[in-house]
Amino acid sequence: MKKSLVPAIVLSSFALLHAPLALAGDEPLVKAASVDLDGDGKPEDISLETKEDAKGFSYVLKVGAATVNTRSDAEVHGFVIVDIDSGDKRKEVAVHSGMTDQDSYDALYAFDGKALKSMGSVHTPIEVKGNGIILSDTWQGFWNRVDKYVVDAKSGTLTHVPQEFYAVGKEARVRESFPITQTRSDSKPVAQLAKGSTIQVLLAALLPVKGQRYKDNAYLVKSSTGLVGWVSEDVLTSKTEGLPFAG
């Protein structure tokens, strides 16, 4: 299981001259930096002030004279500098909040030389390689869901690129025999999985539910004999063993 970004150690602006570029969510978080964000060749002074009060968490992000003051669902630990598109000479600020697989997010901001603009937030850890794409990694209990985001050319905000299926790639041992079906919506069996056999969990089909971004709905499974069919999450997790659950 991948880990979220580590909590920041507050570094003074004297000791820190440049914030690191985030590539895969493993860089140290900072609260002050001097970095050229808008591509004009002149570094901007960047600072982050975090707060906690009776209403919860909040932070103030400053880039030059531009300021963003907003609330957060979880404790804010610092920021890193990311370069979403290495061809546009600009860089972005990713403010990190949360500590767990459930509440860890990066809020991304762009600076145009005058104002800070919110681009949206994505679950962490993230991978940014300068190709205009952000990959976000979310732990799903026994596998990692990878989501893709791109920057909308008109709005400048992050747009999620949906996938009908998500790669899983895990193995399990059948503890109690159960059927796999032809489709996610019917009960016509393709095979009855034998007790003690090893199966491969290939794909997940996810459906959004109220209050959550996704809920695991069904998994495409390959039997030891090479047959492929669908099974619900409840059946898969209750009648197999060996899936790499955390904890």
Side-chain angles (χ1 to χ4, degrees):
M1 178 177 63
K2 291 186 178 181
K3 301 295 184 181
S4 300
L5 289 167
V6 297
I9 299 175
V10 179
L11 301 176
S12 70
S13 58
F14 174 79
L16 180 66
L17 297 179
H18 296 282
L21 291 177
L23 294 179
D26 295 325
E27 295 72 19
L29 296 165
V30 298
K31 290 191 175 180
S34 180
V35 178
D36 179 14
L37 295 179
D38 58 0
D40 65 355
K42 300 177 182 179
E44 281 76 41
D45 290 328
I46 308 166
S47 66
L48 179 71
E49 179 184 357
T50 60
K51 299 179 180 180
E52 181 180 0
D53 54 32
K55 295 181 179 180
F57 303 102
S58 63
Y59 61 89
V60 178
L61 176 65
K62 294 182 179 180
V63 176
T67 301
V68 168
N69 189 342
T70 188
R71 303 208 66 85
S72 172
D73 292 332
E75 184 178 359
V76 181
H77 301 289
F79 68 85
V80 291
I81 304 301
V82 298
D83 190 358
I84 298 175
D85 185 352
S86 59
D88 64 8
K89 297 183 180 181
R90 296 188 296 271
K91 297 180 177 64
E92 294 76 30
V93 182
V95 177
H96 181 75
S97 62
M99 288 286 290
T100 70
D101 293 323
Q102 287 74 38
D103 70 0
S104 185
Y105 281 86
D106 275 346
L108 286 105
Y109 294 90
F111 180 67
D112 63 4
K114 295 181 180 180
L116 275 167
K117 180 177 181 179
S118 173
M119 303 176 71
S121 62
V122 295
H123 196 276
T124 57
I126 63 173
E127 181 178 290
V128 183
K129 292 186 176 180
N131 59 357
I133 295 170
I134 291 180
L135 297 181
S136 170
D137 206 342
T138 306
W139 182 244
Q140 297 292 292
F142 66 91
W143 62 284
N144 290 86
R145 188 187 82 232
V146 178
D147 286 291
K148 176 181 177 180
Y149 294 84
V150 296
V151 180
D152 182 82
K154 292 183 178 180
S155 66
T157 58
L158 295 173
T159 300
H160 180 239
V161 180
Q163 302 170 66
E164 184 176 3
F165 306 113
Y166 288 82
V168 178
K170 302 297 180 182
E171 285 191 351
R173 182 175 178 272
V174 178
R175 183 171 53 82
E176 181 182 342
S177 179
F178 60 89
I180 53 176
T181 61
Q182 294 179 15
T183 71
R184 289 171 283 164
S185 59
D186 68 28
S187 58
K188 297 177 182 178
V190 171
Q192 184 76 24
L193 301 182
K195 180 180 179 180
S197 64
T198 298
I199 60 173
Q200 294 179 332
V201 186
L202 305 175
L203 301 174
L206 307 179
L207 292 177
V209 295
K210 185 177 181 181
Q212 302 177 38
R213 177 145 197 164
Y214 292 103
K215 179 176 175 59
D216 298 347
N217 181 51
Y219 290 90
L220 187 66
V221 169
K222 181 181 177 181
S223 73
S224 59
T225 59
L227 298 175
V228 174
W230 292 94
V231 62
S232 71
E233 180 180 8
D234 288 342
V235 172
L236 176 67
T237 57
S238 65
K239 296 189 176 184
T240 66
E241 55 192 11
L243 292 172
F245 286 98

